[in-house]
Amino acid sequence: MKAFRKILKFELKNYLTNKVYLVLTVLLVLLIAVVMFFPRIAGAFKGGEENPTDWENLPVMLLVGEENWEETTRPMLVDSFAAAFPEYRIVPLADLEKAKETLLAGEAECAVALESPESYTYYVNNLSLYDSNIEFVDAVLSQLTRVSAMITAGMTPEEAEEALVGRVVTGNTVSLGKNQAENFFYTYIMIFALYMVIILYGQMVATGVATEKSSRAMELLITSAGTNSLMFGKVIAACLAGLIQIVAVFGSALLFYRLNLSAWGDNFLVQSIFAMPVNLFLYMLVFFVLGFFIYAFLYGAVGSMASRLEDINTSSTPITMLFIIGFFVVVFSMTSGDTESLLLKVCSFIPFTSPMAMFTRIAMSTVPWVEIALSILILLASVIGVGVVSAKIYRVGVLLYGTPPKLGKMLRAVLRTK
Amino acid sequence: MRLELVDIEKSFGEKRVLKGISLTAEGGRAFGLLGRNGAGKTTTLRILMGVISSDAGKVLFDGRPEGLSSERFGYLPEERGLYPKKKIFDQLVYFATLKGMRTREAEKAVDYWLGRLGMSEYKNKRLDTLSKGNQQKIQLITALAHDPEIVILDEPFSGLDPVNARLLKDVVRQTIARGKIVLFSSHQMNYIEEFCDEIAILNGGKIVLSGGLDAIKRSYPRNRLAVRSLEGERIAADFGPACERISENELLLTLPDPGKKAETMKMLSEKYDIDGVSVSEPSLNDIFVQYAGGQE
């Protein structure tokens, strides 16, 4: 136990004084700081007030061929466009060819050329993937056609406008379980953090063990401390280093968010991320720790079988693949919105996929507590089982040099040890 | 202080690696464990240190079978290696604390040994910046810093220049003088001969020869005379097949009867111009080749 504490301390110190670890953590915190302070910084540059000259700087949308539109609503065209596209300056233009030249010269961003009351053409210099202007143009023009029809039927323009715009029915959604729209983002972030940390630190455990073997420091270590102390010390140190990094990153994110609460105002995305319930964060910690252990033990065992660092890549591939498959199942279920699919349900009880799968289900749907308890129990039992087997593999593996043994041969050797 | 291995058996799968190893090492004496590569030396040492368990037999320390805790021994493995990228002082302190020392004690001990081996200037350097010989001295500190009762040195002199070899010899002598058990494993017979009072030769997983080195040497028939003379040719001609010429002026005479030693020596000095004559003892090298030569 004493040796275990010493090893844990030594290994943890290695992580905390490791330049890569420190730089990565600081960079992540800085990145988050930049993101979280962005509205405030951007606000400072803007000077905070709407400037009349701003309007001059807005991108230009050309409106061509007003004369082709119905007479009744022709005077409303420019105003309607201006209302629908506040991010543009609407400039009417008579000549289509001139409009195209202006577009190509980069002096305007897009142009709407009206051809008849039923059709128009949208011109743009480069069509962006996210250009949704055409849908708004459709909406504006359809509205105007309706107004025209009403005026023709005898209504005044004001009455027509009142009939179309003034009466609005508003509805509210109440989700009695989970609201996937709200918790999608933080679940995604958590799953991604889980994925990155487990893969990163798992590999570090494997590399650490293999380095000790290849540098032959292992010869001395195994005569100084028990293999269990060596393996568990290393794995738990990596787990703590990962936890510290998670807490530093998420903690600073929360802190910076609090500092900039007013600047973020009503940004739905950011609000939804920070609206994560505390109990979910606790679940995240539970699944992180258990999921981390099950993979780190496997990585440790793999590291112990390698004689050289190069061997690790090939021998750890199956573990990494298993983990990536779990990750993809979860991400696909999340993006499809079907978090109660049979596949995800099954995955949430398989120990190697349950840390991510069950966490996703808890975050995005309502899972009976019996299922959660069962999943955690299976995972816990598996962690202990995998830990015991890995420690045995480790004990045999650290003394073996040469080509890494085949799995079957290794398992037979492990079974022989008492 | 007394360390005993009693009837140690070990198999790896079908292969019997150790077939009933028994040996005894005493405090204040050095013990040489000899054998060719693959004879079972490292396995014996690992069982002794409790790294692997034996299938049968026991390890006794002062007659008690509780097993050897890691604080009680220091080990210099044949395959050297520590953490190449870590500061020397830090890792030496780490290994000393793993061997049960408190951090402060460990720091003091490591400082002492760095000074003793002339390595203080490298204290805060990374291990991989040192030459191989200096790395070996650093490794030696891991075996000695915690002042263990048993010091196990596997090929301690390989890779050391004569100056460092002398430094190590002094350290070994001092350790023996302080009443520790020193266990040597080496192929360099001259060092074993210099330090070890007791030896055991392993061959094919069995001890084929063990005991006090002097007694072993004496057990050989003392019927050979080493002769130095400028009249080598004449002596060789007179003695015929009983004479083996080692060099122009050195001869080895084998007598049919060891009891005739004194008589022959007298005869030689009267009859020839003799520079020196003595009873020839077998060297450890000869003994090793004889016992470990044929792998069973």
Side-chain angles (χ1 to χ4, degrees):
Chain A
M1 202 57 202
K2 220 163 137 194
F4 166 76
R5 277 208 309 273
K6 300 237 164 84
I7 293 164
L8 179 66
K9 203 175 132 197
F10 180 77
E11 293 286 341
L12 189 60
K13 199 178 150 207
N14 280 350
Y15 279 110
L16 300 185
T17 54
N18 181 307
K19 283 193 194 100
V20 178
Y21 177 87
L22 286 177
V23 169
L24 187 68
T25 313
V26 170
L27 272 184
L28 281 172
V29 170
L30 277 180
L31 185 73
I32 284 176
V34 169
V35 171
M36 297 316 293
F37 279 97
F38 184 74
R40 192 165 280 215
I41 299 165
F45 277 115
K46 259 188 201 163
E49 276 174 63
E50 281 287 315
N51 206 313
T53 54
D54 277 355
W55 189 79
E56 295 286 329
N57 295 330
L58 287 179
V60 173
M61 179 188 273
L62 300 172
L63 189 59
V64 188
E66 275 183 280
E67 66 282 359
N68 298 334
W69 193 252
E70 290 162 348
E71 248 183 79
T72 39
T73 50
R74 203 178 292 156
M76 299 180 190
L77 266 172
V78 176
D79 283 346
S80 301
F81 268 88
F85 297 100
E87 69 275 27
Y88 284 105
R89 190 151 53 94
I90 311 296
V91 177
L93 205 69
D95 183 9
L96 181 61
E97 288 311 311
K98 196 160 174 239
K100 284 183 189 168
E101 278 168 29
T102 320
L103 277 181
L104 286 171
E107 285 160 24
E109 204 181 276
C110 54
V112 176
L114 302 170
E115 285 142 10
S116 74
E118 283 89 36
S119 73
Y120 71 91
T121 307
Y122 178 72
Y123 292 93
V124 66
N125 198 355
N126 289 308
L127 186 61
S128 148
L129 182 62
Y130 303 102
D131 194 334
S132 57
N133 285 350
I134 196 156
E135 286 151 34
F136 285 96
V137 175
D138 284 351
V140 170
L141 295 179
S142 308
Q143 177 111 327
L144 286 177
T145 350
R146 276 181 225 127
V147 173
S148 296
M150 287 166 162
I151 292 170
T152 320
M155 279 183 168
T156 65
E158 289 74 26
E159 281 169 340
E161 186 130 3
E162 165 66 21
L164 279 169
V165 187
R167 302 169 190 200
V168 179
V169 180
T170 51
N172 287 317
T173 310
V174 175
S175 171
L176 296 176
K178 301 283 167 67
N179 181 345
Q180 289 194 353
E182 268 176 19
N183 48 26
F184 181 86
F185 294 106
Y186 62 70
T187 311
Y188 193 83
I189 290 172
M190 292 276 157
I191 290 291
F192 203 72
L194 216 61
Y195 171 80
M196 289 301 290
V197 173
I198 288 179
I199 276 240
L200 195 70
Y201 285 87
Q203 290 273 11
M204 279 199 209
V205 169
T207 318
V209 176
T211 309
E212 280 172 356
K213 253 190 96 177
S214 68
S215 74
R216 305 277 172 161
M218 194 58 94
E219 294 272 330
L220 206 59
L221 285 170
I222 47 169
T223 57
S224 307
T227 45
N228 283 348
S229 299
L230 285 171
M231 170 137 173
F232 290 110
K234 202 173 264 300
V235 167
I236 292 171
C239 180
L240 288 178
L243 269 180
I244 291 172
Q245 204 163 39
I246 285 188
V247 169
V249 169
F250 284 84
S252 58
L254 189 64
L255 178 73
F256 297 150
Y257 173 67
R258 285 280 156 84
L259 289 177
N260 295 293
L261 205 56
S262 57
W264 280 106
D266 50 359
N267 185 310
F268 169 75
L269 178 66
V270 176
Q271 265 186 349
S272 78
I273 290 171
F274 287 96
M276 187 175 83
V278 178
N279 68 345
L280 201 61
F281 189 72
L282 295 180
Y283 275 125
M284 148 117 186
L285 287 185
V286 168
F287 283 111
F288 166 74
V289 170
L290 293 177
F292 180 84
F293 278 138
I294 205 163
Y295 278 98
F297 285 143
L298 287 178
Y299 276 115
V302 162
S304 76
M305 287 193 285
S307 302
R308 294 166 305 151
L309 279 177
E310 302 91 275
D311 297 339
I312 292 182
N313 287 335
T314 36
S315 42
S316 67
T317 307
I319 304 172
T320 312
M321 284 305 289
L322 186 65
F323 191 57
I324 291 177
I325 290 170
F327 179 70
F328 276 113
V329 166
V330 167
V331 170
F332 282 133
S333 305
M334 271 179 78
T335 43
S336 72
D338 185 10
T339 49
E340 284 302 285
S341 68
L342 186 64
L343 182 63
L344 194 66
K345 270 190 177 164
V346 171
C347 283
S348 67
F349 292 102
I350 300 172
F352 294 100
T353 51
S354 64
M356 285 186 292
M358 188 44 105
F359 177 75
T360 308
R361 286 185 60 203
I362 294 172
M364 298 194 67
S365 62
T366 309
V367 187
W369 69 267
V370 190
E371 287 190 23
I372 300 178
L374 186 65
S375 170
I376 292 181
L377 218 62
I378 294 175
L379 186 57
L380 191 65
S382 310
V383 165
I384 293 168
V386 170
V388 169
V389 172
S390 294
K392 282 189 172 175
I393 293 180
Y394 187 90
R395 193 174 311 157
V396 176
V398 289
L399 295 171
L400 289 179
Y401 285 95
T403 43
K406 293 263 176 294
L407 192 67
K409 202 176 152 200
M410 191 72 204
L411 286 177
R412 277 200 296 281
V414 167
L415 287 176
R416 274 203 301 272
T417 59
K418 280 153 219 154
Chain B
M1 208 166 14
R2 192 179 162 88
L3 175 71
E4 287 169 274
L5 295 190
V6 186
D7 290 328
I8 299 288
E9 299 264 349
K10 181 72 188 175
S11 299
F12 290 123
E14 300 295 303
K15 195 165 176 245
R16 273 183 82 196
V17 182
L18 300 182
K19 304 165 186 167
I21 301 286
S22 297
L23 54 87
T24 306
E26 306 262 354
R29 295 165 78 96
F31 188 99
L33 189 61
L34 314 180
R36 290 171 60 185
N37 302 325
K41 293 184 307 261
T42 306
T43 307
T44 307
L45 292 180
R46 281 183 175 162
I47 288 173
L48 171 72
M49 294 184 285
V51 174
I52 49 178
S53 54
S54 59
D55 299 338
K58 16 178 201 188
V59 178
L60 304 175
F61 190 67
D62 283 339
R64 288 188 300 273
E66 69 259 46
L68 215 51
S69 62
S70 83
E71 300 97 89
R72 308 187 89 158
F73 62 83
Y75 176 45
L76 177 75
E78 184 182 2
E79 296 277 4
R80 320 266 197 254
L82 297 168
Y83 293 105
K85 307 275 177 210
K86 293 233 173 321
K87 262 198 223 165
I88 286 166
F89 185 74
D90 291 354
Q91 54 179 317
L92 286 177
V93 169
Y94 172 55
F95 281 110
T97 54
L98 273 186
K99 291 283 197 179
M101 285 185 116
R102 289 170 186 285
T103 309
R104 195 155 303 161
E105 285 170 10
E107 286 170 353
K108 251 169 91 179
V110 168
D111 267 330
Y112 165 77
W113 279 105
L114 283 171
R116 174 86 169 80
L117 298 178
M119 301 295 291
S120 294
E121 56 180 307
Y122 303 111
K123 184 175 164 176
N124 289 316
K125 292 240 160 42
R126 274 172 25 172
L127 184 75
D128 58 1
T129 60
L130 265 58
S131 70
K132 216 177 151 203
N134 280 342
Q135 289 193 18
Q136 178 146 338
K137 290 204 290 187
I138 297 298
Q139 181 115 32
L140 183 68
I141 297 178
T142 61
L144 297 169
H146 59 293
D147 197 23
E149 289 154 285
I150 302 167
V151 180
I152 301 166
L153 305 172
D154 202 346
E155 291 294 355
F157 293 97
S158 72
L160 289 184
D161 63 44
V163 177
N164 281 328
R166 174 173 295 177
L167 191 60
L168 176 56
K169 278 189 204 175
D170 288 345
V171 170
V172 171
R173 270 199 204 97
Q174 194 188 26
T175 310
I176 296 170
R178 290 178 60 219
K180 313 282 182 187
I181 296 175
V182 176
L183 217 63
F184 266 104
S185 168
S186 181
H187 295 124
Q188 287 170 290
M189 297 302 157
N190 51 330
Y191 289 114
I192 301 276
E193 246 176 327
E194 194 172 335
F195 289 110
C196 296
D197 311 294
E198 306 259 340
I199 61 158
I201 297 179
L202 270 172
N203 191 0
K206 279 193 292 201
I207 290 183
V208 286
L209 181 70
S210 71
L213 192 51
D214 287 341
I216 288 172
K217 285 185 176 176
R218 275 175 208 289
S219 73
Y220 278 75
R222 300 170 68 78
N223 61 346
R224 294 198 298 174
L225 294 178
V227 182
R228 273 191 300 124
S229 168
L230 293 172
E231 293 184 283
E233 203 149 332
R234 192 154 73 92
I235 301 172
D238 292 353
F239 278 81
C243 176
E244 188 188 335
R245 271 191 97 169
I246 310 288
S247 69
E248 203 181 326
N249 299 325
E250 285 178 311
L251 305 131
L252 200 60
L253 301 181
T254 307
L255 311 178
D257 175 7
K260 295 211 168 138
K261 273 199 307 260
E263 197 182 308
T264 313
M265 281 161 107
K266 193 164 169 250
M267 182 269 279
L268 280 168
S269 57
E270 283 167 4
K271 201 171 167 189
Y272 308 97
D273 180 10
I274 297 292
D275 291 341
V277 58
S278 63
V279 178
S280 163
E281 282 189 333
S283 71
L284 183 57
N285 216 30
D286 300 332
I287 299 171
F288 181 78
V289 170
Q290 184 190 342
Y291 280 92
Q295 191 82 261
E296 280 185 22

